Amino acid sequence: MRLKLKRPLVFFDLETTGLNISSDRIVELSYHKVFPNGSSESKTYRINPEMHIPEVVSKVHGIYDDDVRDCPVFAQIAGEVVHAIEGSDLAGYNSNNFDIPLLAEELLRAGTDFDLKRCRFIDAYVIFMKNEPRNLTAAYRFYCGKDLAGAHSANADTEATYEVLMAQLEKYADLPDTVEALADYTSFNRNADFAGRIGYDKEGVEIFNFGKYKGQRLRDILPKDTGYYGWLMQGDFPQYTKNVITRVFIEAKKH
C-alpha cells in the first residue's frame, strides 16, 4: 500500500434523510478503518433518525422508516463512533462538503465533547474532480475497472471509496502518500467551520463567507452589530457554525 499512515485512517459514508446539514439526520453510517500496520476493521450502523425519511430519498438509498424503526438513535451509538475515529484521520467521497459537516452536527446534538477538527480530512472526490471529473460510480469503474454494485448503500460506497483512493495512489505517481499532504491536496477551502460559512483571511482571522458582511472579520462586526449575532443564532445554520461564531463573539467582547 503506497499510502503512508502515521495513525489510523477511517473511510466512512453516511446515508441520511436528506441533504440539509442543519436539519437532516443519519440513517446509516459505515466505516472502514485502516491501521498503519495494514490491518483493518469495518462496521455499519443502521440508525433511527427520529424523523420521517422522505420516500424520494428512500428510493435512492433503499432505507425506509420501517427499516430503522427499532434501531438505536444516534446518541446511543455516538460513543462507539467517537471511539472509532478518535486518534484517526477521516476519508470519504464528497465528505468535505456533506458527510463531515453533518456528522459534526450529529455529534454536537449527542452531546459529545469530540471535535472533528482534531482530524485531517481526505476527500477522494476532490482528487477525482482534479484529475478525472465524474461521480463515485464512474470513479470506481475508471480506477478499479469494476461496476459498483449496491451504489448508495453506505457499506458499498465506503468500500468503493477505499478501493478508489488506493487505485488513485497507484495511478498518479505525483500524488502525495501521507495523510497530511492528501488532506491539504483535497481541501478546496480553508474554513473555520465545516459548512464553509466562516473562513479565514490571510492572517488566519475568522471572516464571513456569506451575507452583507462577507469578507469582513467576525471580531470586528459582531460586537458592533449584536442584532446580526442574534439573527445568526436564530437562523438555519449548522450548530457547529453557530458555535464558531459564538466563540469569536465572546473573545471579541473580552477585548
Side-chain angles (χ1 to χ4, degrees), residues 7-192:
R7 61 183 191 168
L9 181 60
V10 178
F11 294 80
F12 81 106
D13 185 73
L14 308 177
E15 302 302 336
T16 66
T17 58
L19 300 176
N20 189 308
I21 293 170
S22 301
S23 59
D24 279 307
R25 301 290 188 268
I26 299 172
V27 297
E28 188 174 71
L29 183 156
S30 281
Y31 72 81
H32 179 79
K33 186 173 184 178
V34 183
F35 295 88
N37 65 6
S39 64
S40 64
E41 64 181 37
S42 301
K43 189 162 186 176
T44 297
Y45 297 94
R46 280 284 176 90
I47 301 164
N48 184 341
E50 300 182 279
M51 63 183 292
H52 172 59
I53 307 173
E55 283 73 13
V56 65
V57 178
S58 292
K59 288 179 180 178
V60 174
H61 53 47
I63 303 172
Y64 293 81
D65 289 342
D66 288 343
D67 297 323
V68 293
R69 195 178 308 280
D70 298 323
C71 294
V73 300
F74 186 84
Q76 292 175 294
I77 59 112
E80 291 185 40
V81 174
V82 168
H83 178 73
I85 64 179
E86 193 164 21
S88 304
D89 296 307
L90 299 177
Y93 194 86
N94 199 30
S95 49
N96 287 356
N97 290 327
F98 182 71
D99 300 80
I100 287 172
L102 200 149
L103 179 59
E105 291 299 292
E106 290 279 34
L107 290 172
L108 284 171
R109 280 189 288 267
T112 70
D113 62 357
F114 182 76
D115 187 349
L116 285 173
K117 287 286 186 179
R118 301 176 195 174
C119 305
R120 295 185 182 87
F121 311 122
I122 296 175
D123 194 333
Y125 171 75
V126 178
I127 296 174
F128 190 37
M129 291 301 293
K130 285 185 173 182
N131 293 277
E132 314 286 348
R134 302 272 178 88
N135 58 27
L136 179 56
T137 300
Y140 194 61
R141 185 179 300 116
F142 181 88
Y143 290 109
C144 305
K146 297 180 283 186
D147 288 325
L148 178 55
H152 298 301
S153 73
N155 181 56
D157 289 355
T158 296
E159 297 299 328
T161 301
Y162 168 68
E163 290 187 47
V164 165
L165 180 58
M166 295 305 104
Q168 287 172 332
L169 287 164
E170 293 302 320
K171 182 175 179 62
Y172 305 118
D174 60 343
L175 202 63
D177 56 8
T178 66
V179 169
E180 296 91 335
L182 278 173
D184 183 64
Y185 183 89
T186 62
S187 176
F188 279 132
N189 299 297
R190 185 165 164 263
N191 298 311

Side-chain angles (χ1 to χ4, degrees), residues 218-236:
L218 276 68
R219 69 187 189 190
D220 294 336
I221 299 300
L222 296 178
K224 296 186 295 185
D225 192 345
T226 55
Y228 191 62
Y229 171 76
W231 175 79
L232 291 169
M233 293 301 100
Q234 296 299 316
D236 184 24

